[in-house]
């Protein structure tokens, strides 16, 4: 083993000692001068040591290295035959050759080594909000998530975020530690909005009167496409083994199929993620719109529905990985932050305005 240690030091080479001692910092002086500090003082730069290597205590001579291992190391670095001859005399030449070759490859031939399966495999992450935006318009997703362009303040999304916070505080009965940030909740771009009576509609509904089993529950879904999907479920209400997963909306119901991606992600998460409250039996996923009173849109997420939902998530993330970012113009173009950069979007808005 000691022979191989010397061999390793040979391949690494001997470092040049750095003996530039540092003076105490200004902070050290400040602490030393404080009235409550007990100090002995310091007398400037200490003497430099004669050597930076550890000096072994005196003991029995080394049976392999009569002059000490450091002398053997220096002889080896100088190119002498001491180490190979010693290995040969101990019948360790073959083992030494193998170890030297392995060490040499590790240090100098990393580029030729075969990749370890799974090592360095990129794990990409997309939010539920991002997936909804991609399902609506891949180009919009590109400009908001990949090649980010400046965004203007979105009053509708701000109103949605504020409503989510008020509902969370009501359900928790306490103030959470997180700061109020737009990314704190799954509030897709331009799909919120509505009047200020949303919280009153919530309080008057069964959702405001019943305690939720989960509130703002974060999750991560791992997909075969290599992506992770991350989101936060607004609330889960339980009745026996049955779950109703709820996403609150501050606006009115919209006829936009891309929004269903949000419920699909929540349903898949319910079947695959351990939220610490046991596994669900029946699963319903609901949008609860609060912008014009109370309107609930619910889907029963049975096994077949969740399987289709997972395939939809796989398809979306695979398309993102394939960099499929062609625009899909629609009614949403007139509210898009990036309309000025999108020829297809401007044509869509012009045609709808004609």
């Amino acid at each position: 083993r000691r022979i191989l240690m010397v061999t390793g030091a040979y391949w690494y080479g001997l470092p040049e000692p750095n003996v530039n001692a540092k003076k105490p910092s200004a902070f050290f002086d400040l602490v030393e001068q404080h009235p409550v500090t007990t100090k002995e003082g310091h007398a400037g730069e200490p003497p430099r040591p004669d050597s930076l290597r550890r000096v072994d205590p005196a003991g029995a001579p080394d049976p392999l290295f009569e002059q000490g291992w450091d002398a053997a190391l220096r002889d080896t670095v100088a190119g002498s035959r001491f180490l190979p001859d010693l290995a040969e005399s101990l019948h360790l030449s073959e083992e030494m050759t193998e170890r030297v070759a392995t060490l040499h490859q590790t240090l100098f031939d990393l580029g030729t080594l075969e990749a370890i399966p799974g090592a360095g495999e990129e794990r990409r992450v997309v939010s539920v909000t991002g997936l909804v935006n991609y399902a609506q318009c891949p180009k919009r997703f590109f400009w908001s998530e990949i090649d980010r362009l400046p965004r203007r303040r979105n009053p509708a999304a701000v109103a949605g975020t504020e409503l989510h916070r008020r509902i969370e505080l009501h359900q928790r009965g306490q103030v959470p530690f997180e700061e109020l940030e737009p990314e704190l909740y799954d509030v897709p771009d331009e799909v919120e909005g509505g009047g200020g009576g949303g919280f009153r509609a919530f309080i008057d509904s069964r959702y405001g009167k019943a305690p939720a089993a989960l509130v703002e529950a974060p999750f991560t879904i791992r997909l075969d496409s290599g992506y992770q999907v991350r989101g936060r479920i607004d609330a889960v209400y339980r009745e026996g083994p049955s779950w109703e997963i709820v996403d609150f909306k501050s606006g009115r119901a919209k006829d936009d199929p891309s929004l269903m991606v949000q419920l699909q992600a929540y349903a898949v998460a319910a079947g695959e993620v351990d939220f610490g409250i046991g596994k669900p039996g029946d699963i319903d996923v609901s949008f609860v719109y609060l912008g014009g009173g109370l309107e609930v849109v619910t889907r029963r997420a049975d096994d077949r529905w969740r399987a289709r939902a997972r395939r939809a998530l796989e398809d979306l993330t695979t398309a993102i990985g394939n960099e499929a970012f062609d625009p899909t113009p629609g009614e949403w173009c007139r509210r898009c932050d990036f309309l000025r950069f999108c020829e297809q979007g401007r044509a869509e808005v012009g045609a709808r305005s004609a």
Side-chain angles (χ1 to χ4, degrees):
R1 185 179 296 110
R2 291 194 296 277
I3 291 175
L4 297 176
M5 289 172 60
V6 173
T7 302
Y10 167 72
W11 283 111
Y12 276 106
L14 288 174
E16 291 293 331
N18 180 4
V19 293
N20 293 324
K22 302 294 185 182
K23 294 182 178 180
S25 68
F27 178 72
F28 184 94
D29 291 333
L30 181 65
V31 172
E32 187 183 43
Q33 294 165 10
H34 195 277
V36 301
T37 301
T38 301
K39 58 183 181 295
E40 299 296 333
H42 57 82
E45 183 177 332
R48 297 188 177 187
D50 295 330
S51 173
L52 292 182
R53 69 178 178 84
R54 183 178 68 87
V55 178
D56 292 328
D62 193 306
L64 291 178
F65 307 123
E66 294 181 1
Q67 303 300 321
W69 68 266
D70 53 340
L73 172 62
R74 295 179 185 278
D75 287 344
T76 301
V77 172
S80 77
R81 287 280 310 168
F82 169 75
L83 194 59
D85 290 345
L86 179 60
E88 184 177 355
S89 68
L90 297 172
H91 307 289
L92 295 174
S93 295
E94 184 176 349
E95 181 180 2
M96 175 180 167
T97 301
E98 291 178 358
R99 294 292 184 91
V100 168
T102 300
L103 187 58
H104 188 281
Q105 185 181 50
T106 301
L107 292 175
F108 306 114
D109 298 333
L110 291 177
T112 64
L113 295 177
E114 294 184 4
I116 301 174
E121 181 179 307
E122 184 179 8
R123 178 64 67 175
R124 292 164 289 185
V125 178
V126 63
S127 67
V128 170
T129 297
L131 277 185
V132 173
N133 289 334
Y134 183 85
Q136 187 182 78
C137 178
K139 196 65 175 181
R140 183 179 190 175
F141 172 87
F142 176 80
W143 279 325
S144 61
E145 302 290 338
I146 308 298
D147 187 10
R148 298 190 176 189
L149 295 178
R151 309 289 300 272
R152 64 172 180 261
R153 188 174 184 272
N154 184 344
V158 171
T161 300
E162 291 175 348
L163 176 62
H164 277 77
R165 171 49 58 98
R166 292 190 68 186
I167 292 175
E168 180 186 4
L169 296 181
H170 173 82
Q171 292 175 321
R172 289 187 187 276
Q174 62 184 17
V175 178
F177 289 110
E178 301 96 332
E179 294 294 330
L180 183 58
E181 295 291 342
E183 295 80 10
L184 190 58
Y185 305 102
D186 290 339
V187 182
D189 292 342
E190 298 290 356
V191 300
E192 296 290 321
F199 185 69
R200 174 51 55 189
F202 163 76
I203 290 295
D204 292 341
S205 72
R206 61 185 176 90
Y207 301 104
K209 295 178 171 62
L214 291 174
V215 178
E216 293 299 334
F219 65 85
T220 299
I221 305 169
R222 290 168 173 79
L223 300 177
D224 296 336
S225 61
Y227 272 84
Q228 294 179 356
V229 177
R230 293 180 180 172
R232 292 166 68 100
I233 294 174
D234 286 354
V236 173
Y237 295 88
R238 286 192 303 177
E239 185 173 346
S242 299
W243 287 21
E244 184 182 9
I245 301 171
V246 173
D247 185 77
F248 296 105
K249 300 292 187 188
S250 62
R252 300 172 183 269
K254 294 178 180 292
D255 183 17
D256 185 349
S258 66
L259 298 182
M260 194 55 57
V261 173
Q262 195 169 358
L263 295 186
Q264 290 173 333
Y266 294 167
V268 172
E272 299 182 6
V273 176
D274 183 3
F275 287 98
I277 59 172
K279 287 293 184 181
D282 295 333
I283 301 175
D284 290 335
V285 285
S286 301
F287 284 136
V288 177
Y289 294 94
L290 304 170
L294 179 72
E295 184 176 355
V296 181
V297 177
T298 301
R299 297 288 185 273
R300 171 57 58 91
D302 57 18
D303 291 344
R304 292 182 61 185
W305 198 93
R306 294 201 306 275
R308 291 195 301 271
R310 199 177 208 283
R311 286 196 297 270
L313 300 182
E314 294 280 5
D315 291 344
L316 289 172
T317 52
T318 297
I320 293 173
N322 291 336
E323 300 183 355
F325 299 125
D326 291 335
T328 53
E331 183 273 336
W332 45 85
C333 289
R334 62 186 177 85
R335 300 185 302 273
C336 180
D337 287 339
F338 315 117
L339 182 62
R340 72 181 71 176
F341 309 111
C342 182
E343 180 181 350
Q344 295 89 338
R346 292 196 302 273
E348 176 74 15
V349 171
R352 288 177 176 270
S353 301

